[in-house]
């Protein structure tokens, strides 16, 4: 299985400050069709995961523009430009190129 | 918009069969593939498998021998059955909408159900 290594595993951020989460994949995530199927999910405490970003950098409907995704190949990042209290939770990255789909370990974001 | 409502027992005895159902509203079953994902207590997400509206399935290798995912388009439902369960199968189970690549790998997971906590215990 493709291994995705997330870092950091925990992040304490001051309200209004930025945050960045990194994911590195053991295999290239460029599919044979040229697309890169890499998503980011947010899981607030006690809730189901919610997709934030699909195909590296596309925000889902209703996701604030302070969330942005980037990267290519084997290295990807999620940036939160100005952290708000509602952003507390665990963030997961996921690859959908190699079977089976695999997730990173998760990054817990809390407010300092 | 698509909504997924999960149902099924929260307690399963060891060596028994875990059975969950996901009821779809707001979309045709033909619009998506339908996936199951689980999350052991305090841990991350693990992909389980998917079914298409025509009944095509694909299962993660580690669970393949014990897993059955079915679709019932007449009821707008899909289901998961995991046999010979042990304590290691204790987890929150989620259903989700999905789309797949030309290579058959799910990459969507746009909409999720509310989750069902399943405990394997006697």
């Amino acid at each position: 299985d493709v291994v995705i290594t997330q870092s950091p595993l925990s992040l304490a951020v001051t309200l209004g400050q930025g945050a960045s989460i990194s994911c590195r994949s053991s295999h290239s995530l460029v599919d044979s069709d040229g697309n890169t199927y890499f998503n980011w999910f947010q899981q607030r405490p006690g809730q189901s995961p919610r997709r934030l970003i699909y195909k590296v950098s596309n925000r889902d409907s209703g996701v604030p523009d302070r969330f942005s995704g980037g990267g290519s190949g084997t290295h990807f990042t999620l940036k939160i430009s100005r952290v708000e209290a509602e952003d507390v939770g665990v963030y997961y990255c996921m690859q959908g190129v190699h079977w089976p789909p695999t997730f990173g370990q998760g990054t817990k974001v809390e407010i300092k | 918009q698509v909504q997924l409502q999960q149902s099924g027992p929260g307690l399963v005895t060891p060596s028994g069969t875990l059975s969950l159902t996901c009821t779809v509203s707001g979309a045709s079953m033909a619009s998506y593939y339908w996936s199951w994902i689980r999350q052991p207590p305090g841990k991350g997400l693990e992909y389980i498998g998917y079914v298409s509206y025509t009944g095509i399935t694909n299962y993660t290798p580690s669970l393949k021998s014990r897993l059955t995912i079915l679709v019932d388009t007449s009821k707008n439902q899909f289901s998961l059955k995991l046999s010979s369960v042990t304590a290691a199968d204790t987890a929150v189970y989620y259903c989700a909408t999905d789309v797949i690549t030309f290579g058959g790998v799910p990459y969507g997971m746009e909409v999720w159900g509310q989750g069902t906590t399943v405990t394997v215990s006697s």
Side-chain angles (χ1 to χ4, degrees):
Chain A
D1 295 1
V2 171
V3 176
I4 301 182
T5 304
Q6 256 184 264
S7 62
L9 298 183
S10 180
L11 193 53
V13 188
T14 301
L15 286 172
Q17 295 300 302
S20 181
I21 301 169
S22 169
C23 282
R24 291 190 181 270
S25 172
S26 61
H27 295 65
S28 172
L29 298 183
V30 180
D31 200 4
S32 56
D33 65 3
N35 288 306
T36 300
Y37 297 103
F38 191 84
N39 300 342
W40 289 95
F41 297 86
Q42 174 195 60
Q43 187 174 31
R44 291 172 172 153
Q47 295 188 13
S48 301
R50 167 200 182 195
R51 197 179 72 181
L52 298 176
I53 303 281
Y54 63 95
K55 288 201 282 185
V56 181
S57 59
N58 297 276
R59 266 189 309 274
D60 274 280
S61 175
V63 174
D65 60 7
R66 63 177 184 277
F67 289 92
S68 63
S72 62
T74 60
H75 186 208
F76 303 89
T77 58
L78 176 71
K79 294 185 188 295
I80 312 173
S81 60
R82 299 168 304 279
V83 170
E84 298 187 5
E86 66 177 17
D87 300 335
V88 165
V90 181
Y91 292 78
Y92 295 94
C93 56
M94 185 219 93
Q95 65 84 18
V97 175
H98 304 283
W99 181 261
T102 48
F103 295 84
Q105 313 99 299
T107 295
K108 185 175 184 178
V109 172
E110 57 184 10
I111 304 301
K112 199 182 290 183
Chain B
Q1 70 279 22
V2 185
Q3 291 188 317
L4 304 177
Q5 181 67 38
Q6 298 178 220
S7 57
L11 181 64
V12 183
T13 54
S15 76
T17 297
L18 181 161
S19 297
L20 298 174
T21 298
C22 189
T23 302
V24 178
S25 60
S28 162
M29 296 292 291
S31 300
Y32 295 95
Y33 284 71
W34 306 95
S35 283
W36 289 96
I37 302 105
R38 70 181 182 179
Q39 185 171 33
K43 296 189 177 180
L45 300 163
E46 178 186 16
Y47 188 80
I48 295 173
Y50 71 74
V51 65
S52 75
Y53 78 102
T54 60
I56 295 170
T57 56
N58 206 350
Y59 304 149
T60 196
S62 63
L63 297 175
K64 192 171 185 175
S65 63
R66 300 190 290 129
L67 185 61
T68 303
I69 300 178
L70 299 173
V71 65
D72 186 340
T73 55
S74 68
K75 295 181 179 178
N76 265 27
Q77 292 178 337
F78 62 106
S79 62
L80 174 148
K81 292 186 189 300
L82 185 65
S83 64
S84 304
V85 296
T86 69
D89 296 310
T90 293
V92 178
Y93 286 76
Y94 296 99
C95 58
T97 63
D98 226 323
V99 286
I100 66 170
T101 67
F102 286 114
V105 183
Y107 71 91
M109 296 170 218
E110 180 180 4
V111 178
W112 294 59
Q114 81 275 22
T116 302
T117 300
V118 178
T119 302
V120 178
S121 175
S122 55

